[in-house]
Amino acid sequence: MQQPVKVVVEHDLAKSVVKLLQLENAKRPFVVLDKFLLDVDAVKDMLQALKDQGIDYQVYAGIVPDPPASVINSGAKEMKDFGADSVIAIGGGSSLDGAKGINIVASDGGKIEDYVKNEDGIHDLKPLISVPTTAGTGSEMSNALVVTDTTTHEKNAILSDKMLSDYALLVPELTLSLPKKQTIASGLDAFSHAAEGYLSTLSSPVCDAICEKIMFLQYNYLPGAVADGSNLELRQRVLVAADLAGWMLNQSGTIVAHSEAHVLGTKYHFVHGEAVAYALPAVLKLVAPVEPKKVKEIGKILNAHFDGNETPAEIADITVKAYKHFRDDMVGLHPFADYGVSNDELAKNADEVLHERFAGNTPVKLTLDNVTELLKHFG
């Protein structure tokens, strides 16, 4: 297991960014961020600090959710024209992913679509400082980015350790203004990263221990962060949990719950963190026969009680009940029915889910039948 990203937890964005740029001897950063962040005081202070230090920078605020290839390619052209020697990414998963893609294209040429099938072309990247403003995707730690193909409406993943951030800068103050709905979705996404990584065929004993801790942190601190978004300690706890979950994605990946979210999210515009949370219960039931100990351990983390004589199916039922209590009652995820999409409609996507990139990590052999069953119980 490797963890080459340098993780820094600080409370002053401006000072921290200046210090990290100086460590890299970087003098022309390209700043990629969500547009609304230009009105946030901490970001204004950071940009002013760069000016005060005589650091020439350029801002690219064209990122949109689920960034299409055109947005990444456009940003890359601006970065190359500016002659940037480094990248600062600030925002949610879309901004951090977008910045990775911009760095790839500006540094290695071509367009981002070229790298979906040819990840070996990634090599000469500029130093990247990633600053998450949500506590969910863990993109600041992950070796993946997701780019949307606007012609096919598919979300394509690009995986390469070469695109890893040089620094993950965690500033919990930047998450204080995160709306309740986003706090819920991002926290449940990080929980699912850990639960799915724990159940993945790529897992290892060390990964398992970290995944257990991530789920523990989310169970114990996410409800409080949702209830009181101004509590800095709780915000920092879930931010660190999400960061660790992003690292775990590099080690063990995710399984079919994320495959469902990727396929359905693109097609029906489901919020990603909500989609994985709706997918997880049926997935726990699917894998319980082959991973009963791990499904039971997830149940224990969720404060479920077992007498020790349960069958795998009973273990799954108890764990799913505990998870839904956590998801719906403690954290407050809204019902799937609010989307107004039927499970029969979702089931039409079974073949696409079956062949999605991360589905192969599932510890049960997936078939059209059992994936269809998962989609019929999505929610």
Side-chain angles (χ1 to χ4, degrees), residues 228-341:
D228 179 11
S230 64
N231 187 311
L232 193 62
E233 183 191 349
L234 299 181
R235 288 290 194 181
Q236 183 168 304
R237 290 277 195 160
V238 295
L239 182 60
V240 168
D243 184 77
L244 287 172
W247 174 33
M248 282 302 95
L249 289 179
N250 304 350
Q251 314 301 324
S252 52
T254 53
I255 59 173
V256 68
H258 259 70
S259 301
E260 292 178 67
H262 287 155
V263 172
L264 303 178
T266 307
K267 216 162 255 190
Y268 306 104
H269 307 292
F270 299 157
V271 174
H272 174 76
E274 295 179 359
V276 292
Y278 296 133
L280 191 57
V283 172
L284 290 169
K285 289 189 177 186
L286 175 71
V287 303
V290 296
E291 291 286 3
K293 284 185 179 176
K294 285 192 170 181
V295 172
K296 186 176 184 178
E297 198 62 41
I298 293 171
K300 287 180 178 176
I301 291 166
L302 294 166
N303 208 27
H305 299 287
F306 300 90
D307 63 24
N309 299 311
E310 292 87 1
T311 64
E314 289 167 340
I315 287 170
D317 286 342
I318 293 168
T319 298
V320 165
K321 186 179 178 184
Y323 175 71
K324 285 185 173 178
H325 172 64
F326 165 65
R327 182 191 76 177
D328 302 340
D329 304 327
M330 294 171 63
V331 177
L333 178 64
H334 68 93
F336 171 60
D338 291 351
Y339 276 108
V341 180

Side-chain angles (χ1 to χ4, degrees), residues 166-242:
D166 293 271
Y167 299 92
L169 175 57
L170 309 184
V171 182
E173 284 82 355
L174 291 175
T175 67
L176 290 176
S177 60
L178 198 64
K180 185 172 282 193
K181 190 177 178 186
Q182 279 181 270
T183 303
I184 292 169
S186 54
L188 292 174
D189 187 21
F191 185 95
S192 198
H193 287 164
E196 292 181 61
Y198 191 55
L199 297 167
S200 166
T201 55
L202 301 176
S203 68
S204 70
V206 175
C207 287
D208 289 349
I210 296 168
C211 287
E212 287 168 359
K213 185 62 174 181
I214 294 161
M215 289 185 280
F216 172 89
L217 288 169
Q218 294 292 9
Y219 178 75
N220 284 279
Y221 300 108
L222 179 59
V226 170
D228 179 11
S230 64
N231 187 311
L232 193 62
E233 183 191 349
L234 299 181
R235 288 290 194 181
Q236 183 168 304
R237 290 277 195 160
V238 295
L239 182 60
V240 168

